[in-house]
Amino acid sequence: MKKLLLACAASVLLGAAPVPKAPFPAFLDRFLEEDFKVEPTYAVYQGRHDHDGELPDWSDAGLKSKAAFYRAAIAQAQGFTDNRLTRDQRFERDYLIAVARGRLFWLEDADQPHRNPSYYISMLDPNVYVARPYADAATRMRAVTAFARHIPAAAAQVRANLRMPMPLTFINFGKAGFQGLADYYAKDVPAAFAGVKDAKLQADLAAATTAAATALHGLAEWLEQNRGAATQDFALGPERFQRMLYATEMVDTPVAELEAVGRADLKRNQDALNEACAAYAPGASITDCTAKANAHKGEGGPVATARRQIPELRAFVLAKQLVTIPGTEQALANEAPPFMRQNTAYIDPPGPYEHGLPSVYYISPPDPAWTPEVQRASTPGETNLLFVTVHEVMPGHFLQFLHANRSPSFFSRVFVGNAFAEGWAHYAEEMMWEAGLRKGDPEAHIGQLANALQRDCRYLSAIGLHTQGMTVEQSRKMFVEQCYQAEGTARQQAARGTYDPAYLVYTMGKLMIRRLRTDWTATHGGRAGWKAFHDELLDHGGPPIPLVRGLMMDTKSTAAF
């Protein structure tokens, strides 16, 4: 029934598809160029530096124009019928429709520009100009100056768009994000370019970053002023949550079935943790066992520890022949800037239009406002961090983007979806353990399971918070009691679930990839076929997993768990 309703909703939205006059490759290229115009910050992160210094138009007219562009693109793409296209072109057509449909969902159905500060924060981030060495310092300095000059007008649009009252967790996240950006413009950006010996450039940068910092600080203060009227009205609701899954990831499985799948994965990982703890800390409670493992911190702190782990993981992938490592690019490990510390770690890879640049693996220190005890508990133990490094670097996101940036389809290089990217990286954690990383050491297994359980609680919290009336406190309690997360992590993750309802994609993507591996390798060598499976999967870029499943299994696309 749900599948039928979704299909009907899509047909009403799109209407009759016109017959395109241009050849499909030209249509695909035109979509890319037009998308970069309406999303210039996305273009810059893909390496299209002809859009340096630009920001999207967040005015009412700009948002409506963007939505109209995506609706027209979907209708035009549907006009390319199967008999006019090759197999690869049919895949790209469906991929494009999925991208545009997902963008439309966040724009209109979820109405994020008017409801959610998280829609804006990453697009106001100047870090690509500061940290990515795609050009000499003076060139990047001019670009970030131009970008900063747009911030006051953009901040005014943000303030005009966001509607009050707003959920308390949105207020907290928005205030921290905008204030963190303000501090970054005021301090870090000028410091990054202090070595440029050009008085005019320095004066221009100082004026632009000062104005940007003032505007963003004003946004943070405005949100704080609205704290007293904050609500708990963050839920998408069951129907919209179901539409989110289909619009963004082509998953039409009913939410009740998805919840059952998630609870089964939670139970599987809890049972594995019980077994690992029995070997690692016999007689201890699970809480004491995980605390013991987390107390083993890497020497020199998490950044230094991660720098040692990266070559270890690379050597293991090569020795076990798990997946091809293309190219000679490197991944660096650094501390995350203050305004991007809502996650423990993340990676910033170069885009497909850039070559020979390093990826940067950012690791977040704990919140200094927390007590020293909570801070230490929230700093990942060495084996927990090991699997974070698997996730972010090898063979997770870093390796995935090495493959994506070499995909035969340029469209596949540019658009990498969340369930594919996060699903692959989370899948890689368990796959590396299965392949023998750290030779069965139970402490290492506890580190892997700590990450898996956190993602299970994200998955179940997303469903609970947005479809079942779960409170933030109930989510926090679940992270602590069922997934054995530290208090600081639990608070952070429970809050994130309110403004990031799609954070279930880690476990959802992992489970779809595991099922696809089982089905594909059944006729491709079993365990011996893992490397070939991984290479083929990654070479498709980052499409919705049901779409790549249809291509690899030569069958109708379906989300299989």
Side-chain angles (χ1 to χ4, degrees), residues 141 183-195 202 205-206 209-210:
M141 187 177 182
D183 294 341
Y184 192 71
Y185 278 101
K187 302 171 186 176
D188 299 82
V189 176
F193 295 101
Q202 290 292 348
L205 180 66
T209 54
T210 298

Side-chain angles (χ1 to χ4, degrees), residues 469-485:
M470 177 185 280
T471 66
V472 175
E473 172 58 21
Q474 288 170 333
S475 172
R476 182 206 63 79
K477 187 176 180 180
M478 180 169 66
F479 273 101
V480 172
E481 295 181 355
Q482 297 189 46
C483 297
Y484 308 103
Q485 301 298 299

Side-chain angles (χ1 to χ4, degrees), residues 305-323:
T305 302
R307 288 171 179 165
R308 294 190 297 271
Q309 291 171 345
I310 291 170
E312 173 193 355
L313 296 171
R314 178 184 175 90
F316 182 82
V317 167
L318 291 172
K320 295 294 184 178
Q321 297 186 338
L322 295 175
V323 58

Side-chain angles (χ1 to χ4, degrees), residues 36-117:
F36 290 159
K37 289 178 183 178
V38 298
E39 297 288 5
T41 53
Y42 186 79
V44 172
Y45 270 90
Q46 302 311 304
R48 282 293 301 268
H49 294 292
D50 50 319
H51 291 280
D52 276 4
E54 298 176 14
L55 270 168
D57 179 3
W58 293 323
S59 68
D60 185 61
L63 293 173
K64 288 178 179 177
S65 176
K66 186 182 300 186
F69 162 64
Y70 290 125
R71 280 195 296 272
I74 293 170
Q76 291 163 16
Q78 288 187 321
F80 288 97
T81 55
D82 286 0
N83 63 332
R84 296 182 59 193
L85 303 175
T86 66
R87 179 173 179 266
D88 289 344
Q89 287 174 338
R90 290 195 294 272
F91 173 76
E92 289 182 313
R93 174 202 59 195
D94 295 343
Y95 199 162
L96 183 152
I97 291 171
V99 167
R101 190 166 49 209
R103 296 272 179 89
L104 265 179
F105 174 83
W106 297 119
L107 267 175
E108 295 192 320
D109 202 346
D111 196 20
Q112 281 199 326
H114 298 108
R115 291 175 49 86
N116 197 331

Side-chain angles (χ1 to χ4, degrees), residues 220-409:
E221 284 193 325
W222 172 67
L223 287 175
E224 178 60 29
Q225 291 163 8
N226 283 276
R227 179 179 297 278
T231 73
Q232 296 297 324
D233 184 23
F234 52 76
L236 290 177
E239 292 79 13
R240 187 180 291 141
F241 189 84
Q242 186 83 61
R243 294 197 299 271
M244 177 194 77
L245 295 172
Y246 183 73
T248 61
E249 301 295 348
M250 294 180 68
V251 170
D252 54 11
T253 305
V255 171
E257 292 181 25
L258 290 177
E259 182 185 5
V261 167
R263 294 202 177 278
D265 198 60
L266 173 65
K267 177 66 164 55
R268 179 175 71 94
N269 286 319
Q270 287 172 333
D271 290 346
L273 182 60
N274 281 323
E275 184 177 343
C277 281
Y280 178 66
S285 68
I286 295 297
T287 299
D288 289 343
C289 167
T290 55
K292 177 184 175 182
N294 195 57
H296 175 202
K297 310 295 184 182
E299 184 178 352
V303 173
T305 302
R307 288 171 179 165
R308 294 190 297 271
Q309 291 171 345
I310 291 170
E312 173 193 355
L313 296 171
R314 178 184 175 90
F316 182 82
V317 167
L318 291 172
K320 295 294 184 178
Q321 297 186 338
L322 295 175
V323 58
T324 298
I325 303 177
T328 59
E329 294 92 331
Q330 298 297 310
L332 308 177
N334 289 327
E335 185 173 294
F339 66 92
M340 288 296 286
R341 291 179 178 174
Q342 69 269 27
N343 283 322
T344 301
Y346 62 98
I347 196 162
D348 179 23
Y353 292 91
E354 296 170 318
H355 302 283
L357 296 180
S359 295
V360 183
Y361 169 30
Y362 289 107
I363 301 170
S364 301
D367 190 331
W370 296 342
T371 65
E373 293 78 13
V374 172
Q375 288 188 52
R376 178 165 175 77
S378 300
T379 300
E382 194 276 334
T383 59
N384 187 312
L385 183 63
L386 176 70
F387 286 93
V388 174
T389 306
V390 168
H391 182 103
E392 300 296 339
V393 183
M394 184 60 66
H397 290 314
F398 170 69
L399 179 63
Q400 174 212 337
F401 278 97
L402 292 183
H403 278 264
N405 286 344
R406 292 166 170 82
S407 173
S409 164

Side-chain angles (χ1 to χ4, degrees), residues 179-220:
Q179 187 55 54
L181 280 167
D183 294 341
Y184 192 71
Y185 278 101
K187 302 171 186 176
D188 299 82
V189 176
F193 295 101
V196 176
K197 306 302 181 184
D198 185 312
K200 177 67 164 57
L201 289 182
Q202 290 292 348
D204 289 347
L205 180 66
T209 54
T210 298
T214 299
L216 291 164
H217 176 69
L219 273 181

